[in-house]
Amino acid sequence: MAEISDRVRRQPDSVPVGLATLLLGPATAVVAMAMVIPLIAFARYGFNSYDRIELMKQAWDIGNYVRFFSDPFFLGVLLRTIGMAFLATVLCLAIGFPIAFQLVRTQSRFKSIAVFLIVLPLFISGTIRCVGWMIVLARGSLLDTVIVTVSGARIDLMHTTLAVLFGIASFNLPYLILTLQSAIEGVDMELQQAAEGLGATPQRAFWRVIWPLAFPGVVVAAILSFVLAMNAYAAPVLLGGPRFQMMAPLLYWEFGTQNNWPMASVVAFVIMGTTLLLVGIASALLLRRR
Amino acid sequence: MTMPKELSLPTLNRRSLLQGAAALAAAGSLGGISPARAAGQVVVGTWGGDFAKGLGQSIDVQMEALGYKVVQDANTTAARNGKVIAEQALPTGSFDVVCVQPGAAETMANAGLLEKLDPAKIPNLAKVLPNLRISEYMAPHIFSPTVLIYNPDTLPEPPKSLGDLLDPKYAGKFAVTDANYTIVVMAAALYAAGDIHAIDKGKEVVEKLNANGLKFFSADMMAAPLQTGEITVGLLPLARVVMWQNQGMNIKAAFPQEGSIPYIDGMSVPKNAPNKEGAYKYIDVMLGAEAQRIFAEFMGYLPSIDDAGLTGKTAEQLTLPSPAPKIVLEDYAFTATVQQELGEWWKKSILGK
């Protein structure tokens, strides 16, 4: 067994670098063609100018970026998007970590069923799941009836921040749980038993042993959730309504309603740039320090 | 019941009967030739759902009898228009026919993306109601006046004007659709100044309506809040009322006394359409009496031609009240000049407040 492991470890060294490059070349070229080139082309649009007749005029102008960063409206939408992404990620972690932890620890024969139930929502499109939330939160729904009956007052659930938060969190949760489960499974649970054997309480053993070892996985899962939430479209549109403005719907509005493709490009690259920046800062602060 | 000539309900005449007979004869004369090979494929960019189903029943069936294969490319307005714009540099685009609203047709025609429709190739263009001949680049398909819709159970006395909705008793009880914001502003301009071009006055009214708790629902979603009493009045095309009445809902329409702006859908041919001849034929069939009648019965929109031959319940439902309500067409060339600024104002000053 040890020989096989050694062979597997040595195998990458046995492939010449030139051959590896040759083998990876076609796939890399396909990715470049399909992703990078359109991205560069779309980034270029951001420096063009909108024209009512021609729709887009060739230019090299940073006016669209200046407009975005000098307009309180656009900045407000960006800040709201970051805030919602952060809140949704915290909510997902608070719900997802205990579930993922229990999934790793459980020896139950129903474990595979539990994993299947977590994966099941991914079989349904995010938009359809949001429509489901609309039915749950709408006026006259069972939930609305219960609230009115119990409290005697009506609380509008649709078109609220809370509705959007639940929509985004429910969309992200399966991804987050599966990522956390995979990270926690890499932690040797016997270490917790060892810590408890040496006198640590279960809570102390968890926070001093398991949590630090699982932390890099938690950060990766949180980043995944944050990135997904930054790009949320269906939840803000369907559950938040037209007044609830986030970046992805704003992008679609610039593109589809205003036909202002240069501004749509700017919104797209602001989302991408902000996400990369925040993820980079989080990685630097949370992972490298350890 | 008197109605303006251009809005009078159509009837099936001898000309359409002869055209139908000629079409049947032409189809028969193809003999054993495979229909799809005989005339080619026509790709239609359209909305999905009931609209696409209506096109299938009213137009596609006739086109297939003529030897065409019709492919529906269903998507949202933004995605459809975006595709036409994105493909402008390509020698051949995806669509032969694209369903458009007049404002978008104006924008795309200005950008040189649409084919000027040739009346010689689309004989039925001659039958289009005079008021709907608004663009040489778009054949009008359907129209429906925008009206104040209400639930008589929760609101026995309907508002007579958009201005009535400024009353605090309608606070939080009036809804419009975000997608048709230009019609909302122009309806407000019509109320405030009797002129759809008085945009600034219209904006003031919409801002006051917004301060009075204006709500937003998509057209599809407005029936439920009307039924539950969440809202009591909405601004929507009359067709929605017809559709919901046919579904058994107690929803009625009131024409605002200052005038109604019709919602219009049409069809255009992109300049790089692969099968222009097929596209012209499709539009010609769309403007035929049979297609117009079937679509009106299915969706509740008024036909765009003068001889659709509506009868029975559909004719009764689609007959405009007497005395004839004031119908004011949107000025699409004007809309195109103010659309960017108006859109930004709507996003920031109405939705953002």
Side-chain angles (χ1 to χ4, degrees), chain A residues 76-267:
Chain A
V77 176
L78 178 62
L79 287 177
R80 185 180 299 111
T81 306
I82 294 170
M84 289 300 292
F86 179 76
L87 284 175
T89 301
V90 170
L91 185 63
C92 282
L93 279 175
I95 299 169
F97 191 89
I99 295 172
F101 191 68
Q102 200 52 39
L103 271 178
V104 173
R105 284 171 62 103
T106 187
Q107 302 296 320
S108 167
R109 61 199 170 98
F110 297 114
K111 180 177 176 175
S112 55
I113 294 174
V115 172
F116 176 72
L117 287 175
I118 288 163
V119 174
L120 195 61
L122 301 179
F123 285 72
I124 307 162
S125 93
T127 308
I128 302 297
R129 274 183 277 161
C130 279
V131 172
W133 275 105
M134 287 168 75
I135 295 165
V136 171
L137 301 174
R139 196 174 273 211
S141 68
L142 184 63
L143 184 62
D144 177 62
T145 309
V146 169
I147 290 172
V148 171
T149 309
V150 172
S151 70
R154 168 157 276 133
I155 302 167
D156 276 328
L157 301 168
M158 274 293 287
H159 295 184
T160 61
T161 304
L162 206 61
V164 180
L165 192 62
F166 283 149
I168 296 174
S170 68
F171 179 83
N172 292 3
L173 206 51
Y175 296 103
L176 186 119
I177 291 174
L178 293 175
T179 311
L180 282 175
Q181 188 201 356
S182 159
I184 298 168
E185 265 171 357
V187 178
D188 188 351
M189 288 296 164
E190 287 181 358
L191 290 173
Q192 186 175 14
Q193 289 168 8
E196 288 175 24
L198 291 169
T201 61
Q203 290 80 9
R204 186 174 168 82
F206 172 81
W207 287 113
R208 297 301 293 270
V209 178
I210 301 299
W211 176 255
L213 290 170
F215 189 74
V218 173
V219 173
V220 170
I223 285 173
L224 177 68
S225 171
F226 184 81
V227 171
L228 287 171
M230 281 292 285
N231 292 285
Y233 178 81
V237 168
L238 296 175
L239 303 173
R243 289 191 194 274
F244 196 91
Q245 303 189 29
M246 283 177 65
M247 288 293 275
L250 178 67
L251 190 166
Y252 194 71
W253 178 75
E254 288 288 356
F255 160 79
T257 306
Q258 294 290 76
N259 289 319
N260 190 339
W261 289 22
M263 202 59 201
S265 164
V266 167
V267 175

Side-chain angles (χ1 to χ4, degrees), chain A residues 50 52-55 67 71 73-74 134 139-140 154 156 159 242-245 249-250 252-261, chain B residues 76 78-79 82 85-86 107 110-111 178 181 210 214-217 221 228 230 336-337 339-340 343-344 347-348 350-353:
Chain A
Y50 172 80
R52 191 174 65 75
I53 303 297
E54 294 176 36
L55 300 178
R67 184 181 158 213
D71 189 327
F73 169 78
F74 287 118
M134 287 168 75
R139 196 174 273 211
R154 168 157 276 133
D156 276 328
H159 295 184
R243 289 191 194 274
F244 196 91
Q245 303 189 29
L250 178 67
Y252 194 71
W253 178 75
E254 288 288 356
F255 160 79
T257 306
Q258 294 290 76
N259 289 319
N260 190 339
W261 289 22
Chain B
T76 60
I85 296 167
T107 302
N110 285 342
D178 173 39
Y181 68 88
N210 201 33
L214 185 64
K215 288 197 171 179
F216 302 93
F217 292 99
M221 303 298 291
T228 60
E230 185 176 354
T337 64
Q339 196 265 335
Q340 274 288 311
E344 195 161 332
K347 196 77 171 166
K348 291 179 180 175
I350 300 300
L351 300 180
K353 290 271 171 78

Side-chain angles (χ1 to χ4, degrees), chain B residues 32-302:
Chain B
I33 301 171
S34 159
R37 272 186 286 130
Q41 177 176 280
V42 178
V43 180
V44 182
T46 174
W47 290 272
D50 283 341
F51 197 92
K53 207 169 160 185
L55 293 187
Q57 291 176 9
S58 62
I59 307 171
D60 299 2
V61 171
Q62 293 187 66
M63 286 293 285
E64 277 157 25
L66 293 171
Y68 290 90
K69 181 186 176 191
V70 178
V71 176
Q72 291 186 348
D73 184 340
N75 219 319
T76 60
T77 303
R80 203 163 53 247
N81 296 348
K83 210 168 184 176
V84 174
I85 296 167
E87 291 178 344
Q88 60 183 297
L90 300 178
T92 49
S94 301
F95 302 130
D96 296 304
V97 176
V98 61
C99 292
V100 287
Q101 287 160 331
E106 182 78 22
T107 302
M108 289 197 279
N110 285 342
L113 308 182
L114 301 180
E115 196 73 23
K116 190 182 270 189
L117 300 179
D118 184 353
K121 292 178 178 171
I122 309 172
N124 280 334
L125 270 176
K127 299 196 301 181
V128 169
L129 295 169
N131 275 4
L132 297 182
R133 293 175 190 175
I134 46 184
S135 170
E136 292 176 299
Y137 297 87
M138 185 202 81
H141 177 204
I142 50 170
F143 78 102
S144 188
T146 306
V147 292
L148 297 166
I149 66 169
Y150 66 100
N151 178 353
D153 293 335
T154 56
L155 189 72
E157 189 64 36
K160 292 182 172 60
S161 154
L162 194 69
D164 290 356
L165 298 156
L166 295 167
D167 190 315
K169 76 176 180 181
Y170 291 104
K173 294 289 182 185
F174 174 50
V176 298
T177 56
D178 173 39
N180 291 326
Y181 68 88
T182 52
I183 288 185
V184 176
V185 178
M186 294 196 182
L190 205 53
Y191 158 72
D195 178 8
I196 55 164
H197 300 90
I199 290 295
D200 288 338
K201 288 189 176 171
K203 281 182 184 174
E204 281 173 21
V205 172
V206 178
E207 281 170 1
K208 285 178 188 166
L209 288 168
N210 201 33
N212 201 28
L214 185 64
K215 288 197 171 179
F216 302 93
F217 292 99
S218 68
D220 292 332
M221 303 298 291
M222 214 178 280
L226 273 170
Q227 293 289 296
T228 60
E230 185 176 354
I231 58 169
T232 51
V233 185
L235 188 72
L236 274 186
L238 179 66
R240 290 282 168 179
V241 178
V242 174
M243 188 187 284
W244 289 331
Q245 282 175 349
N246 288 342
Q247 290 168 7
M249 296 181 202
N250 190 17
I251 292 178
K252 287 188 172 175
F255 285 79
Q257 61 194 16
E258 62 270 16
S260 292
I261 299 172
Y263 171 88
I264 301 171
D265 278 337
M267 293 186 186
S268 294
V269 179
K271 268 208 169 138
N272 54 5
N275 183 3
K276 283 183 190 162
E277 293 308 312
Y280 293 140
K281 190 69 207 171
Y282 187 92
I283 290 176
D284 199 49
V285 171
M286 174 273 281
L287 291 170
E290 188 179 346
Q292 289 279 325
R293 179 183 52 77
I294 293 170
F295 201 89
E297 285 168 357
F298 187 73
M299 290 285 286
Y301 283 93
L302 283 157

